[in-house]
Each structure stands twice: as structure tokens, then as C-alpha cells.
Amino acid sequence: MSSAVGKIFRNKTNLEVMRCAEMNILKQVAVLFSGFLFSSFLSADTDLTFHKDIQPIIQEKCVNCHRVGGAGPMPLVSFEEVSPFAGLIMYKTGLKDKAGAMPPYYIERDNGIQDYKSNPSLSEEQIAMIAEWVENGAPRGNPQDAPEALTFEDGPVWRGGAPDIVVRSAPIVMKAGQPDWWGVIPDIEIPVDEDRYIRSVEVREVNDVDRSEISTSVGGQFIVHHMQWAVQSFDGDGNPIEDSLVNMPIHELGRMPDIFDPKAGRLLPANARAVSNNTIHLHSNGVDTTAFIEIGFYLHPKGYEPEYDISRVSLGDGINMSIPGGSKDTELHSYAVLKKPTKITAFEPHLHGPGARMCLEAIWGANIETLSCVGYDHNWVINYTYDDHSQPLLPAGTILHATAYMDNSQANPSVPDPRNWQGAGNRSVTNMFIDLGIQLEMTDDQFFEEMAARREMLNLSKNDSVPGCPLCMMPIVNPLVLTEADKESMTPAEIKYWEVKK
Ligand code: HEC
């Protein structure tokens, strides 16, 4: 709780992205270093051991990907598997919010809101423990201290837990070396015979790639680059029913599950199909691959009704983009004014290769607050979902400001040729700058209710400040004593807000 009621930090301006060459050297040094450690007789002046202290962390934060059949390039389950990588693990976990960090999630820890749903990051303490263990020779310790081994189903896991409904596409085939493909795949029928609402959705690719043969990034393991999709109801003759289309968050490689606000479930209409109405982009990963798209839906109970409308604040810029060749700190800016009180439930920077970082800021009157600043690694598309108590609650008139920081220099391994000027466009070698986050429009009543609930939930005093809620702590402007006459002109929500505020 205290982290949500914290200080508000302004943007950092200098990027500290490591030069590619340095990174490679460091990697090699790290590997050599770890090899050296295990053959050396360094005496440990700490009690941290693999089995007792480090294996539980790796089980919790890494092996869901780093296991046979997982998305990670090598398993990190046993001591024998982890120890050759100890130095590299220390390096990658220490990158925190920079491209290349492990686990892949890039929230800046000294900047903006800190509480997010399904945040897979290591804590500061865990990062420090890993570093200390490696620096002390990465000792194995007593195997009897090991945590109980985890078991996994074959293939990828659902990161959001077991879904209520799982549907699967027809097979999608990409040959080795085949050029990129954009198009529409056959609709996927969803077995629901009445309107339901979903609280979360997750999309994953299941394929026949032999991961022991592929040791590259996520891009090498999958063929579906992204899919814009929706659900739509169909009649008995197989014709789409007009106006029944409900858009879903875009699926992109490496994405986390989308968790919707509890009051803004998305409609899954009866007799629906998942339609890739707006194209799916496939790319070859170098081997003949047959893949399926699987969609997991997580349902609200029957009878659930949403309270909020989804609004789409258009934040980003697809035109005015000019990134000089070799430049390191080009900034792109975009502004949007909120027309209604708005709750932001997710932030999702969408950049391409040169993207290094993106920040979202709210400007209301004299308040300028950083909501989120995140690093960017073009290997991973991460959507950052705010915890319920940390979702920004912004009054109408707030200006949202997104800033992208672009690194088009040699230091960025995702840039194919840093001599090139970079402009906007759809292809991966051209650029985008968009916030694909989720925003919900509120009525004034709902806005007051949410602020009252926030004050109550966080038990705020007048001296606290809440990032992302500029009116939560505004000085009292209502009359000091509420008369019955005052109440008559107020809505129940305003009265409740007033009472909590007192
Ligand atoms: C969501 C899946 C996922 C999680 C969770 C994850 N990794 Fe990774 N890891 C990958 C993938 C995929 C790569 C390949 C590089 C890339 O695509 O970024 C990788 C690369 C690495 C590498 C570099 C390997 C090399 O040879 O360059 C190390 C080291 C590593 N991970 C360690 C970890 C550790 C330690 C954790 C937990 C603290 C972790 N990873 C969590 C998927 C994951």
C-alpha cells in the first residue's frame, strides 16, 4: 500500500542503454566468469546457496519459460543447468527495466506508479540475492534444502491460469524462408449459447517448433507476429450479425494476458466466433512450422453487467516522426485531452526496433505526474495492467502526454542498420508510436464514487498524495456542514464522497 501512496518522480531524461558491443563483451565475460567461478576455490563469505535461496526464486520467476518445452532458450531447472549461466543471469536480472532484462518486464522502479497486476519482476531483494550469490562463487549448498520440484503440462502455460473456455484455430503453416504474410484466417467458433462477459483473455501460439534446435529470441520460436481480432455473433445460416462485433486487445508475440477492469468486462456474444477481421501477420522463423492460435477466455459469472464504457484515447503519432540515423535520444511526443473523467486500466507502449523507453504523464492544472515509465525491448510486447488501487483516475480536461525515447544508434541491437533515417510506417523496419492501453470513460457520479473508494481503500490522510489521482486530495470545497438542503441537490455518490472526504 505504501508504494501506491508514494512520491511522484519526474521523468528521467538520460537513457542508459548499453552499447551492443559492450553488451556482447559483458555477456562473454559473464559466461567466462561463471565458468571460472565453478572451477575455482573462492571461499564464500555469505550463506546464500543455490538450493536454499536461489532455486526458489528461479522456480517462482523463471522456469515457467526456462524449462524443456518452454519459451526460454535454455532450461534453468537444476543446478547443473543454472550454474553455467550464473554470471549471465546476474547480468540480465540486473538490467531491471532496460532491453534484455529478465524476466521480460520493464517498469522503472523509481518512477511513477509501481503496482501492476501479474507483475513477474524480481524484487530488489531477489536481484540483490542473485548478485550476491554469484559474486560469492554461486555455491550449490545442500540438495536437501531444495524446494519441491515443479511439474508442468507439456507446452506453453496459460499465464493467467486455467481459462474457462479454450478455442483453437485451424492449422496455420509457414515454410522456412517464406516471405511475411498478412491476411485473414478462418473464423474460430466459440461454444457460448448466451451473452457472457469476460474478465480476462489470453492468446497463445502452440506450434511444432523443436525448441532444442532453436536458441534465439522469442521471434525465432513463433510465426504469428500479431493478430488484430474481435468476437462477433453469427446467425444460424452462418452470416455475421450486424453491430455485434466486439473488438479485443491486439494479440502480439510475448504478450501478457489482458485483464479487464472488474467493472468493464467485455461482451462475448452468444454464438460468437473469433474473427481475425483486421489481419494477422505471419513471419517465417527459419524452419517449416505448423501452428495453432489458442484463445483462453476467463468469464464473469452469469448475470454480470459492466458499468463502464471503454473509451479509446488516441495517443501516439503516425506521421511526424523523424529519427536521424545514429541518433540516441530522439524524443517523440503526443498529447490528448480527456473529454470525460477517465480511469486508465492499462498502459501499453507500442514502438518498433528503435524504441527504448516510453513514459505516460498526466497534466491537470498545475499537476504534472508521471504515471508510468517503462523500458522497451522489441523482442517483447508487454501490456502493463494497473492494480485496482493504482489505476489513474483523471478528471475531464486532463492532458495525457506520451513520450517515446528512440535509440537509433549502434547501441540498440534491434536496429538493423543505424545509418538509416527512420520514419513512420507499418512494417517492422519502419516505426510506430502508440499507447495501446485501455481507458474507461466514467460519469461524474462514477468518478466521485471511485475517488471515495480509493481514499477509503488506501486509508489516505490529507497529507498523502496519490500518483494518478489529482482530485483525490483536493482541498475541501464543499460546505463544512452538509445540511439536508445541500444534500437534496447532491447525488448519493457526491454525498458519500463528501462524507469520506471529511
Ligand atoms: C516469459 C518467458 C521468460 C521468463 C519468465 C524468463 N525468461 Fe529468460 N529468456 C526468455 C527468452 C525467450 C529468452 C531469449 C532472449 C529474448 O527473447 O529476449 C531469454 C533469455 C534469457 C537469458 C539469456 C540467454 C542467452 O544465451 O543469451 C538468460 C540468462 C535468462 N533468460 C535468464 C532468465 C532468468 C534468470 C529468469 C528469471 C529471473 C528468466 N530468464 C525469466 C524467456 C523468459
Side-chain angles (χ1 to χ4, degrees):
M1 193 174 292
S2 58
S3 62
V5 192
K7 294 167 231 150
I8 299 157
F9 294 87
R10 296 304 321 281
N11 292 347
K12 284 191 284 189
T13 48
N14 57 332
L15 279 174
E16 292 171 338
V17 179
M18 294 203 102
R19 292 177 55 84
C20 178
E22 283 166 9
M23 211 149 93
N24 284 335
I25 291 167
L26 252 173
K27 254 188 173 182
Q28 287 160 18
V29 171
V31 171
L32 283 174
F33 180 55
S34 63
F36 161 73
L37 286 174
F38 300 109
S39 55
S40 76
F41 298 98
L42 282 180
S43 65
D45 55 3
T46 161
D47 322 340
L48 295 178
T49 69
F50 176 73
H51 289 304
K52 181 163 59 67
D53 307 288
I54 304 302
Q55 199 171 11
I57 301 175
I58 292 190
Q59 274 198 351
E60 184 195 343
K61 302 278 170 83
C62 320
V63 298
N64 60 328
C65 293
H66 288 277
R67 67 193 158 84
V68 175
M74 70 289 186
L76 293 177
V77 177
S78 66
F79 178 71
E80 288 72 17
E81 286 164 347
V82 172
S83 63
F85 290 101
L88 194 52
I89 289 172
M90 172 177 156
Y91 169 67
K92 300 280 262 180
T93 53
L95 287 174
K96 296 186 185 179
D97 53 48
K98 303 286 184 291
M102 281 288 143
Y105 198 81
Y106 313 99
I107 286 290
E108 291 181 9
R109 293 158 193 247
D110 54 357
N111 222 0
I113 294 167
Q114 293 295 307
D115 296 346
Y116 297 83
K117 287 182 183 167
S118 338
N119 179 349
S121 302
L122 294 166
S123 66
E124 290 289 320
E125 194 194 351
Q126 289 173 325
I127 294 172
M129 279 169 75
I130 290 174
E132 191 180 323
W133 170 69
V134 175
E135 278 166 354
N136 282 289
R140 175 174 196 153
N142 185 347
Q144 283 180 346
D145 293 336
E148 210 171 299
L150 299 181
T151 51
F152 287 95
E153 313 161 22
D154 283 349
V157 286
W158 291 103
R159 297 173 84 182
D164 298 309
I165 300 175
V166 176
V167 294
R168 180 179 254 225
S169 71
I172 302 168
V173 177
M174 245 350 234
K175 294 284 181 199
Q178 194 178 330
D180 285 28
W181 184 89
W182 286 261
V184 173
I185 57 167
D187 298 343
I188 310 171
E189 291 200 21
I190 306 169
V192 273
D193 51 15
E194 59 181 323
D195 285 1
R196 293 295 297 267
Y197 283 89
I198 54 173
R199 58 187 167 81
S200 175
V201 66
E202 185 172 345
V203 179
R204 68 183 191 183
E205 174 184 335
V206 179
N207 64 31
D208 60 357
V209 170
D210 178 354
R211 285 185 171 68
S212 61
E213 298 284 307
I214 300 248
S215 62
T216 56
S217 70
V218 268
Q221 302 181 29
F222 298 100
I223 58 168
V224 178
H225 176 275
H226 74 264
M227 174 174 78
Q228 277 173 292
W229 67 290
V231 291
Q232 187 166 24
S233 212
F234 282 71
D235 67 19
D237 299 327
N239 300 312
I241 296 173
E242 228 179 292
D243 295 336
S244 70
L245 195 80
V246 181
N247 281 316
M248 291 289 159
I250 185 172
H251 166 64
E252 299 182 82
L253 197 50
R255 194 182 176 80
M256 320 271 296
D258 281 283
I259 305 166
F260 304 119
D261 183 85
K263 292 180 180 168
R266 293 248 170 134
L267 179 64
L268 179 58
N271 308 313
R273 297 181 188 174
V275 293
S276 59
N277 55 342
N278 242 322
T279 74
I280 176 166
H281 171 194
L282 306 178
H283 64 93
S284 165
N285 57 352
V287 288
D288 292 357
T289 300
T290 301
F292 301 88
I293 286 285
E294 285 190 344
I295 307 176
F297 295 98
Y298 301 80
L299 299 176
H300 275 295
K302 285 185 187 181
Y304 166 91
E305 288 290 337
E307 292 172 42
Y308 293 150
D309 289 334
I310 295 162
S311 68
R312 182 80 196 95
V313 178
S314 183
L315 207 55
D317 190 346
I319 302 167
N320 305 298
M321 197 181 284
S322 176
I323 311 170
S327 66
K328 200 165 161 51
D329 268 336
T330 306
E331 288 182 18
L332 308 174
H333 296 270
S334 169
Y335 298 85
V337 179
L338 300 178
K339 297 201 174 67
K340 292 261 179 73
T342 298
K343 168 151 108 162
I344 303 183
T345 68
F347 174 47
E348 182 178 339
H350 185 92
L351 302 167
H352 284 183
R357 179 180 186 230
M358 191 153 139
C359 292
L360 181 64
E361 190 174 73
I363 306 170
W364 193 83
N367 289 285
I368 305 176
E369 293 183 349
T370 298
L371 303 178
S372 297
C373 270
V374 303
Y376 185 83
D377 181 331
H378 197 45
N379 268 336
W380 296 91
V381 174
I382 312 266
N383 41 331
Y384 300 91
T385 306
Y386 296 104
D387 260 344
D388 290 344
H389 67 266
S390 67
Q391 296 162 328
L393 290 174
L394 303 167
T398 300
I399 301 168
L400 284 182
H401 174 206
T403 310
Y405 299 80
M406 313 300 270
D407 181 354
N408 190 22
S409 75
Q410 233 182 325
N412 183 348
S414 299
V415 171
D417 186 341
R419 290 172 302 179
N420 288 335
W421 171 87
Q422 300 244 12
N426 281 341
R427 296 171 306 154
S428 288
V429 290
T430 54
N431 287 280
M432 290 192 181
F433 163 37
I434 317 173
D435 170 16
L436 288 173
I438 301 177
Q439 301 91 17
L440 306 175
E441 253 174 35
M442 287 181 283
T443 61
D444 285 347
D445 268 4
Q446 288 170 332
F447 184 50
F448 279 123
E449 257 171 41
E450 288 274 352
M451 287 196 295
R454 182 73 53 94
R455 290 171 60 84
E456 233 167 0
M457 189 195 316
L458 297 179
N459 193 18
L460 298 170
S461 85
K462 287 184 192 130
N463 294 325
D464 292 320
S465 68
V466 199
C469 192
L471 288 193
C472 270
M473 295 299 140
M474 283 307 265
I476 294 164
V477 290
N478 303 49
L480 280 177
V481 179
L482 269 196
T483 62
E484 286 311 307
D486 289 326
K487 287 189 187 171
E488 268 166 35
S489 65
M490 292 166 78
T491 65
E494 280 169 338
I495 295 169
K496 187 170 173 225
Y497 175 64
W498 166 245
E499 280 165 1
V500 173
K501 198 157 180 111
K502 261 196 322 180

